[in-house]
Amino acid sequence: MLREGRDVTLVAWGAMIPEALKTAAEWEAKGVSAEVIDVATLKPLDAETIINSVKKTGRCVIVHEAPLTGGFGGEIAARVAEGAFSSLLAPIERVTGYDTVMPLLKLENIYLPDAARIGKAVNRAMAFV
């Protein structure tokens, strides 16, 4: 856990950690407290920490660089659905790379999730208040 919060759980790893933290700080200014979890390892996955956080916040936004289809975020979403479904106040959100080949360096920033895209997902999750 990199940051404690009460309203939404942001789950990320690798290069998406700074973006998740930036989003959390931006939403804090709007009165939304975001908990940020660094997955750190995919195997073993610390699903317990993620599930406990989602049970507390009621919302989950998963952020990763891989495409949506076949990305590890789908596994995390499944674990959250299995372990915290009755606590969810909004659908699980995933902010990912696009379902296409990762572009060369010049276009990488268009492909990768950023704080703006993560913020839109937080906004959708918070709309269920």
Side-chain angles (χ1 to χ4, degrees):
M1 176 125 16
L2 298 178
R3 178 185 171 121
E4 290 196 28
R6 66 181 181 287
D7 299 315
V8 62
T9 300
L10 303 179
V11 181
W13 57 93
M16 295 298 101
I17 292 297
E19 296 298 327
L21 290 169
K22 180 178 177 184
T23 303
E26 289 172 359
W27 279 85
E28 187 74 34
K30 299 175 185 181
V32 174
S33 176
E35 190 147 284
V36 179
I37 296 175
D38 180 355
V39 173
T41 63
L42 301 180
K43 192 170 183 181
L45 174 66
D46 184 5
E48 183 179 353
T49 296
I50 297 167
I51 290 167
N52 287 339
S53 176
V54 174
K55 283 181 178 179
K56 178 174 76 171
T57 67
R59 295 172 182 85
C60 182
V61 176
I62 302 163
V63 185
H64 63 81
E65 298 173 69
L68 176 69
T69 304
F72 199 77
E75 177 63 26
I76 294 172
R79 301 274 184 103
V80 169
E82 291 168 355
F85 183 77
S86 62
S87 299
L88 287 171
L89 301 172
I92 299 166
E93 293 282 341
R94 289 187 287 162
V95 183
T96 68
Y98 299 105
D99 281 340
T100 185
V101 176
M102 175 90 166
L104 296 175
L105 187 59
K106 277 186 166 182
L107 299 175
E108 184 179 56
N109 290 333
I110 295 170
Y111 174 87
L112 293 174
D114 59 14
R117 285 182 54 206
I118 300 167
K120 288 178 184 176
V122 170
N123 190 49
R124 287 190 300 270
M126 294 308 297
F128 286 86
V129 172

